[in-house]
Amino acid sequence: VALGLYFPRKEYSENVYIDEPAGTPFLRIHALRDSREEVAHFHLCHNLIVPRARPQENNWFQIREETGLLYLSKSLDREDFNMLSVGNWMPLSKVMLYVFLSSHPFQEKECDSATRTTVFLSLINATAPACSSLTARQLCFTEMDLSFHIKENKPPGTFHQLRLPSVHHLCQNLSISYKLLAGEGVPFRYNENTTSVRVTQRLDREERERYELIAKCTVREGLREMQVEVPFLVNVLDEDDSPPFLPNGTDTADAVVEFKRKEGTVLSTLTVYDADTTPIYPLESSRKKYTGTIITDDPWISETFRVEHIFDEIHFSPNGSQVRGTRHEY
Protein backbone atom coordinates (compact mmCIF):
# COMPACT_ATOMS: atom_id res chain seq x y z
CA VAL A 1 0.00 0.00 0.00
CA ALA A 2 1.51 3.37 -0.96
CA LEU A 3 1.29 5.68 2.02
CA GLY A 4 2.44 8.73 0.08
CA LEU A 5 4.88 11.54 0.80
CA TYR A 6 6.16 11.98 4.35
CA PHE A 7 8.24 14.37 6.48
CA PRO A 8 11.67 13.17 7.68
CA ARG A 9 11.18 15.14 10.92
CA LYS A 10 8.21 15.08 13.28
CA GLU A 11 8.65 18.77 14.11
CA TYR A 12 10.71 21.84 13.29
CA SER A 13 11.56 24.95 15.30
CA GLU A 14 12.95 28.40 14.54
CA ASN A 15 13.29 31.89 16.04
CA VAL A 16 11.57 34.92 14.49
CA TYR A 17 12.61 38.43 15.56
CA ILE A 18 10.68 41.68 15.51
CA ASP A 19 11.03 43.94 12.45
CA GLU A 20 12.74 41.38 10.22
CA PRO A 21 11.74 42.51 6.71
CA ALA A 22 9.01 40.82 4.66
CA GLY A 23 10.60 38.20 2.39
CA THR A 24 13.09 37.01 5.06
CA PRO A 25 13.38 33.21 4.75
CA PHE A 26 13.65 31.38 8.09
CA LEU A 27 13.16 27.65 7.58
CA ARG A 28 13.41 25.04 4.82
CA ILE A 29 11.20 21.96 5.12
CA HIS A 30 11.74 18.78 3.09
CA ALA A 31 9.60 15.82 2.15
CA LEU A 32 10.53 12.30 1.07
CA ARG A 33 8.65 10.24 -1.50
CA ASP A 34 6.87 6.92 -1.23
CA SER A 35 7.14 6.32 -4.98
CA ARG A 36 9.29 7.86 -7.71
CA GLU A 37 6.45 9.67 -9.52
CA GLU A 38 5.44 11.81 -6.55
CA VAL A 39 6.12 15.56 -6.46
CA ALA A 40 5.87 17.36 -3.11
CA HIS A 41 3.57 20.37 -2.61
CA PHE A 42 3.67 22.27 0.70
CA HIS A 43 0.89 24.38 2.16
CA LEU A 44 -0.04 26.30 5.34
CA CYS A 45 -3.72 25.63 5.85
CA HIS A 46 -4.73 26.73 9.29
CA ASN A 47 -4.35 29.73 11.57
CA LEU A 48 -1.48 30.25 13.98
CA ILE A 49 -1.94 28.15 17.11
CA VAL A 50 -1.27 30.33 20.17
CA PRO A 51 -0.96 28.44 23.50
CA ARG A 52 -3.69 29.30 26.05
CA ALA A 53 -5.51 31.50 23.51
CA ARG A 54 -7.73 31.39 20.44
CA PRO A 55 -5.99 30.62 17.12
CA GLN A 56 -4.98 33.80 15.29
CA GLU A 57 -5.27 34.45 11.59
CA ASN A 58 -1.85 33.88 9.98
CA ASN A 59 -0.90 37.23 8.44
CA TRP A 60 2.90 36.83 8.70
CA PHE A 61 4.08 33.47 7.39
CA GLN A 62 4.00 31.85 3.95
CA ILE A 63 5.53 28.74 2.38
CA ARG A 64 6.67 28.24 -1.21
CA GLU A 65 4.52 25.38 -2.45
CA GLU A 66 7.23 23.74 -4.61
CA THR A 67 10.31 24.21 -2.37
CA GLY A 68 9.05 24.12 1.23
CA LEU A 69 10.77 27.44 2.10
CA LEU A 70 8.99 29.24 4.96
CA TYR A 71 9.35 33.03 4.88
CA LEU A 72 7.90 36.21 6.35
CA SER A 73 5.16 37.61 4.13
CA LYS A 74 4.83 40.63 6.46
CA SER A 75 7.23 42.11 8.99
CA LEU A 76 6.31 41.26 12.60
CA ASP A 77 6.20 44.50 14.60
CA ARG A 78 5.84 45.11 18.36
CA GLU A 79 2.07 45.50 18.08
CA ASP A 80 1.87 42.09 16.34
CA PHE A 81 4.09 40.58 19.05
CA ASN A 82 1.85 41.95 21.83
CA MET A 83 -1.23 40.53 20.12
CA LEU A 84 0.37 37.09 19.65
CA SER A 85 1.88 36.94 23.14
CA VAL A 86 -1.62 37.40 24.67
CA GLY A 87 -0.75 39.40 27.77
CA ASN A 88 2.32 37.26 28.34
CA TRP A 89 5.00 39.77 29.44
CA MET A 90 7.84 37.40 28.61
CA PRO A 91 10.40 38.50 25.98
CA LEU A 92 9.50 35.39 23.99
CA SER A 93 6.21 33.97 22.77
CA LYS A 94 5.76 30.52 21.19
CA VAL A 95 3.28 29.87 18.39
CA MET A 96 2.68 26.85 16.18
CA LEU A 97 2.07 26.39 12.47
CA TYR A 98 1.02 23.24 10.64
CA VAL A 99 2.68 22.53 7.29
CA PHE A 100 0.70 20.14 5.08
CA LEU A 101 1.96 17.95 2.29
CA SER A 102 0.33 16.68 -0.89
CA SER A 103 1.51 15.00 -4.11
CA HIS A 104 -0.52 17.47 -6.23
CA PRO A 105 -1.38 21.20 -5.96
CA PHE A 106 -3.46 21.96 -2.86
CA GLN A 107 -7.18 22.41 -2.59
CA GLU A 108 -8.08 24.09 0.73
CA LYS A 109 -10.57 21.34 1.68
CA GLU A 110 -7.80 18.70 1.66
CA CYS A 111 -6.00 20.17 4.63
CA ASP A 112 -7.49 17.96 7.32
CA SER A 113 -6.74 14.65 5.66
CA ALA A 114 -3.24 15.51 4.41
CA THR A 115 0.08 14.59 6.03
CA ARG A 116 1.34 17.38 8.27
CA THR A 117 4.27 18.43 10.47
CA THR A 118 4.40 21.02 13.26
CA VAL A 119 6.60 24.12 13.18
CA PHE A 120 7.25 25.74 16.58
CA LEU A 121 8.13 29.42 16.22
CA SER A 122 9.71 31.39 19.07
CA LEU A 123 8.70 35.01 18.52
CA ILE A 124 11.37 37.14 20.19
CA ASN A 125 10.57 40.66 21.43
CA ALA A 126 13.84 42.12 20.11
CA THR A 127 15.41 42.86 16.77
CA ALA A 128 17.68 40.20 15.22
CA PRO A 129 21.12 40.20 16.89
CA ALA A 130 24.16 41.42 14.94
CA CYS A 131 25.86 38.55 13.10
CA SER A 132 29.19 39.33 14.83
CA SER A 133 27.59 38.73 18.25
CA LEU A 134 26.45 35.16 17.42
CA THR A 135 28.45 32.08 18.36
CA ALA A 136 29.51 29.55 15.71
CA ARG A 137 26.84 27.18 17.08
CA GLN A 138 24.11 29.81 16.54
CA LEU A 139 25.35 30.70 13.05
CA CYS A 140 25.58 27.07 11.95
CA PHE A 141 22.73 25.09 13.55
CA THR A 142 19.36 25.60 15.22
CA GLU A 143 18.81 24.47 18.81
CA MET A 144 17.02 21.32 17.59
CA ASP A 145 18.89 18.03 17.33
CA LEU A 146 19.76 16.96 13.78
CA SER A 147 17.74 13.75 13.94
CA PHE A 148 15.77 12.28 11.00
CA HIS A 149 13.47 9.34 10.25
CA ILE A 150 13.69 7.72 6.82
CA LYS A 151 11.42 4.82 5.81
CA GLU A 152 13.04 1.68 4.46
CA ASN A 153 12.53 0.60 0.81
CA LYS A 154 11.67 4.14 -0.38
CA PRO A 155 13.21 6.11 -3.29
CA PRO A 156 16.29 8.34 -2.73
CA GLY A 157 15.76 12.04 -2.04
CA THR A 158 16.96 15.22 -0.31
CA PHE A 159 15.85 15.38 3.33
CA HIS A 160 17.77 18.28 4.92
CA GLN A 161 19.62 21.50 4.19
CA LEU A 162 22.43 22.35 6.62
CA ARG A 163 22.62 26.07 5.82
CA LEU A 164 20.18 28.15 7.90
CA PRO A 165 18.12 30.31 5.50
CA SER A 166 17.83 33.25 7.94
CA VAL A 167 21.59 33.34 8.68
CA HIS A 168 22.44 33.00 4.97
CA HIS A 169 20.05 35.91 4.25
CA LEU A 170 21.19 38.23 7.06
CA CYS A 171 24.92 37.48 7.48
CA GLN A 172 26.25 37.74 3.95
CA ASN A 173 29.67 39.08 5.05
CA LEU A 174 30.42 35.76 6.81
CA SER A 175 31.71 32.64 5.06
CA ILE A 176 29.94 29.58 6.47
CA SER A 177 30.76 26.13 5.08
CA TYR A 178 29.76 22.60 6.08
CA LYS A 179 30.99 19.03 5.84
CA LEU A 180 29.22 15.79 6.60
CA LEU A 181 31.62 13.38 8.26
CA ALA A 182 30.64 9.76 7.61
CA GLY A 183 32.21 6.34 7.28
CA GLU A 184 32.88 4.61 3.97
CA GLY A 185 29.88 3.35 2.02
CA VAL A 186 27.27 5.30 4.00
CA PRO A 187 24.20 5.95 1.76
CA PHE A 188 24.12 9.74 2.24
CA ARG A 189 25.61 12.45 0.06
CA TYR A 190 26.31 16.08 0.94
CA ASN A 191 26.12 18.72 -1.83
CA GLU A 192 28.56 21.56 -1.11
CA ASN A 193 26.82 24.06 -3.41
CA THR A 194 23.33 23.71 -1.92
CA THR A 195 24.41 22.38 1.54
CA SER A 196 21.69 19.75 1.14
CA VAL A 197 21.91 16.14 2.35
CA ARG A 198 20.47 13.35 0.25
CA VAL A 199 19.78 9.68 0.88
CA THR A 200 21.26 8.01 -2.21
CA GLN A 201 19.59 4.59 -2.17
CA ARG A 202 16.74 2.60 -0.66
CA LEU A 203 17.50 1.68 2.95
CA ASP A 204 16.92 -1.71 4.59
CA ARG A 205 16.19 -1.62 8.32
CA GLU A 206 17.02 -5.31 8.70
CA GLU A 207 20.58 -4.45 7.52
CA ARG A 208 21.02 -1.28 9.55
CA GLU A 209 18.61 0.62 11.77
CA ARG A 210 20.59 3.74 12.74
CA TYR A 211 23.30 5.87 11.15
CA GLU A 212 25.41 8.21 13.29
CA LEU A 213 27.20 10.91 11.31
CA ILE A 214 28.67 14.28 12.27
CA ALA A 215 27.88 17.67 10.72
CA LYS A 216 30.89 20.00 10.87
CA CYS A 217 30.60 23.73 10.25
CA THR A 218 33.37 26.30 9.71
CA VAL A 219 32.70 30.05 10.07
CA ARG A 220 35.26 32.54 8.66
CA GLU A 221 35.14 36.27 9.34
CA GLY A 222 38.27 38.03 8.10
CA LEU A 223 41.19 36.16 9.70
CA ARG A 224 39.02 34.64 12.43
CA GLU A 225 37.91 31.01 12.01
CA MET A 226 35.53 29.05 14.26
CA GLN A 227 34.46 25.42 13.98
CA VAL A 228 31.63 23.46 15.54
CA GLU A 229 30.50 19.83 15.21
CA VAL A 230 27.12 18.29 16.06
CA PRO A 231 25.74 14.72 15.79
CA PHE A 232 23.68 14.01 12.65
CA LEU A 233 21.45 10.95 13.26
CA VAL A 234 19.29 8.98 10.82
CA ASN A 235 16.86 6.33 12.10
CA VAL A 236 15.45 3.86 9.57
CA LEU A 237 11.72 3.23 10.01
CA ASP A 238 10.48 -0.32 9.58
CA GLU A 239 8.15 -1.72 6.94
CA ASP A 240 6.84 -5.24 7.59
CA ASP A 241 8.70 -6.84 4.68
CA SER A 242 10.64 -9.81 6.12
CA PRO A 243 8.99 -13.08 7.11
CA PRO A 244 9.73 -14.67 10.51
CA PHE A 245 12.36 -17.43 10.42
CA LEU A 246 13.33 -20.53 12.38
CA PRO A 247 16.88 -20.57 13.73
CA ASN A 248 17.66 -24.11 12.57
CA GLY A 249 15.05 -24.44 9.83
CA THR A 250 12.75 -26.80 11.72
CA ASP A 251 9.13 -25.76 12.28
CA THR A 252 8.02 -28.69 14.47
CA ALA A 253 9.04 -29.88 17.92
CA ASP A 254 8.54 -33.39 19.31
CA ALA A 255 7.20 -33.80 22.82
CA VAL A 256 7.59 -36.95 24.92
CA VAL A 257 5.04 -37.09 27.74
CA GLU A 258 5.81 -39.32 30.73
CA PHE A 259 3.34 -40.31 33.43
CA LYS A 260 2.82 -38.22 36.58
CA ARG A 261 4.10 -34.98 35.06
CA LYS A 262 3.01 -31.99 37.20
CA GLU A 263 0.77 -29.27 35.76
CA GLY A 264 2.95 -26.58 34.23
CA THR A 265 5.72 -28.95 33.13
CA VAL A 266 7.34 -27.75 29.88
CA LEU A 267 7.41 -30.66 27.45
CA SER A 268 8.83 -29.02 24.35
CA THR A 269 9.83 -25.64 22.94
CA LEU A 270 9.89 -24.07 19.50
CA THR A 271 11.72 -20.78 18.80
CA VAL A 272 10.82 -18.33 16.01
CA TYR A 273 12.81 -15.16 15.21
CA ASP A 274 11.44 -12.00 13.59
CA ALA A 275 14.08 -9.48 12.49
CA ASP A 276 11.39 -7.19 11.14
CA THR A 277 9.51 -6.10 14.25
CA THR A 278 10.20 -5.43 17.89
CA PRO A 279 7.72 -6.19 20.70
CA ILE A 280 4.77 -3.80 20.54
CA TYR A 281 3.02 -2.53 23.64
CA PRO A 282 0.44 -3.35 24.86
CA LEU A 283 1.91 -6.86 24.78
CA GLU A 284 -1.39 -8.41 23.68
CA SER A 285 -1.02 -6.80 20.26
CA SER A 286 2.35 -8.60 19.79
CA ARG A 287 0.84 -11.86 21.00
CA LYS A 288 -2.02 -11.66 18.49
CA LYS A 289 0.41 -11.27 15.60
CA TYR A 290 1.67 -14.88 15.98
CA THR A 291 -0.33 -17.66 17.57
CA GLY A 292 0.74 -21.17 18.59
CA THR A 293 -1.86 -23.93 18.08
CA ILE A 294 -1.96 -27.65 18.85
CA ILE A 295 -3.57 -29.34 15.82
CA THR A 296 -5.57 -32.33 17.02
CA ASP A 297 -8.97 -34.02 16.78
CA ASP A 298 -8.66 -35.44 20.28
CA PRO A 299 -10.58 -33.37 22.85
CA TRP A 300 -8.50 -34.87 25.70
CA ILE A 301 -5.31 -33.47 24.16
CA SER A 302 -6.92 -30.03 23.75
CA GLU A 303 -8.01 -30.06 27.41
CA THR A 304 -4.75 -31.43 28.82
CA PHE A 305 -2.07 -29.48 26.95
CA ARG A 306 -1.65 -25.83 26.02
CA VAL A 307 0.85 -23.73 24.12
CA GLU A 308 2.34 -20.77 25.97
CA HIS A 309 3.82 -17.87 24.03
CA ILE A 310 6.56 -15.68 25.51
CA PHE A 311 8.64 -13.20 23.55
CA ASP A 312 11.38 -10.65 24.09
CA GLU A 313 13.46 -8.13 22.17
CA ILE A 314 16.81 -9.36 20.87
CA HIS A 315 19.57 -7.87 18.72
CA PHE A 316 20.80 -9.23 15.41
CA SER A 317 24.18 -8.09 14.10
CA PRO A 318 24.20 -8.06 10.28
CA ASN A 319 27.32 -6.31 8.91
CA GLY A 320 28.44 -5.59 12.46
CA SER A 321 25.62 -3.12 13.26
CA GLN A 322 22.93 -3.86 15.83
CA VAL A 323 19.35 -4.31 14.61
CA ARG A 324 16.47 -4.96 16.97
CA GLY A 325 14.10 -7.88 16.48
CA THR A 326 11.94 -10.32 18.46
CA ARG A 327 12.45 -13.88 19.71
CA HIS A 328 9.19 -15.83 20.16
CA GLU A 329 9.26 -18.97 22.31
CA TYR A 330 6.38 -21.44 22.17
Side-chain angles (χ1 to χ4, degrees), residues 40-290:
H41 295 265
F42 301 89
H43 198 59
L44 299 177
C45 291
H46 298 324
N47 294 335
L48 282 176
I49 313 298
V50 183
R52 302 180 303 283
R54 284 200 325 268
Q56 291 274 1
E57 194 177 337
N58 172 21
N59 297 317
W60 301 274
F61 306 105
Q62 266 314 320
I63 193 164
R64 300 209 188 284
E65 187 172 326
E66 284 80 25
T67 63
L69 185 72
L70 266 167
Y71 64 96
L72 277 169
S73 52
K74 172 184 181 294
S75 184
L76 184 81
D77 60 27
R78 279 201 159 69
E79 207 174 296
D80 298 330
F81 177 86
N82 294 338
M83 182 174 74
L84 292 170
S85 60
V86 199
N88 161 6
W89 299 107
M90 304 287 284
L92 177 145
S93 178
K94 278 198 185 281
V95 298
M96 274 170 19
L97 276 173
Y98 293 128
V99 176
F100 290 78
L101 191 54
S102 174
S103 54
H104 49 83
F106 258 90
Q107 313 294 319
E108 197 72 28
K109 63 180 185 302
E110 296 173 321
C111 287
D112 291 323
S113 59
T115 307
R116 75 178 190 190
T117 190
T118 309
V119 178
F120 293 92
L121 297 173
S122 296
L123 309 182
I124 297 171
N125 192 9
T127 54
C131 298
S132 56
S133 71
L134 296 173
T135 64
R137 178 77 173 77
Q138 291 168 315
L139 289 164
C140 294
F141 304 108
T142 64
E143 288 151 35
M144 279 191 86
D145 292 342
L146 290 181
S147 179
F148 306 90
H149 303 274
I150 298 181
K151 294 180 182 179
E152 67 170 339
N153 305 324
K154 302 301 178 199
T158 297
F159 63 95
H160 185 62
Q161 185 180 41
L162 285 164
R163 181 173 63 211
L164 303 181
S166 54
V167 171
H168 183 63
H169 184 74
L170 295 169
C171 306
Q172 294 181 1
N173 60 333
L174 294 179
S175 158
I176 301 174
S177 59
Y178 294 90
K179 275 197 173 79
L180 195 61
L181 310 179
E184 282 296 304
V186 167
F188 305 104
R189 185 166 298 135
Y190 170 65
N191 180 326
E192 237 171 74
N193 299 325
T194 61
T195 77
S196 59
V197 185
R198 177 179 177 78
V199 56
T200 57
Q201 64 190 55
R202 292 172 185 262
L203 303 181
D204 182 353
R205 194 203 69 92
E206 287 70 66
E207 287 295 318
R208 186 156 176 184
E209 170 163 40
R210 186 175 165 86
Y211 294 87
E212 299 184 14
L213 301 87
I214 289 172
K216 179 179 178 178
C217 176
T218 303
V219 181
R220 291 183 189 84
E221 187 182 16
L223 297 172
R224 202 163 64 116
E225 184 175 292
M226 300 178 285
Q227 291 188 333
V228 61
E229 293 182 1
V230 299
F232 187 102
L233 307 174
V234 178
N235 294 290
V236 185
L237 295 182
D238 194 60
E239 194 174 57
D240 208 348
D241 64 336
S242 301
F245 64 95
L246 301 142
N248 54 6
T250 177
D251 62 355
T252 54
D254 294 330
V256 176
V257 187
E258 296 175 350
F259 283 103
K260 296 188 178 172
R261 296 292 92 182
K262 286 200 173 97
E263 186 180 337
T265 301
V266 176
L267 302 167
S268 185
T269 60
L270 186 65
T271 303
V272 181
Y273 288 117
D274 188 347
D276 207 36
T277 56
T278 53
I280 314 161
Y281 294 90
L283 290 176
E284 272 316 301
S285 51
S286 266
R287 209 166 259 122
K288 281 179 193 151
K289 193 166 178 186
Y290 302 115

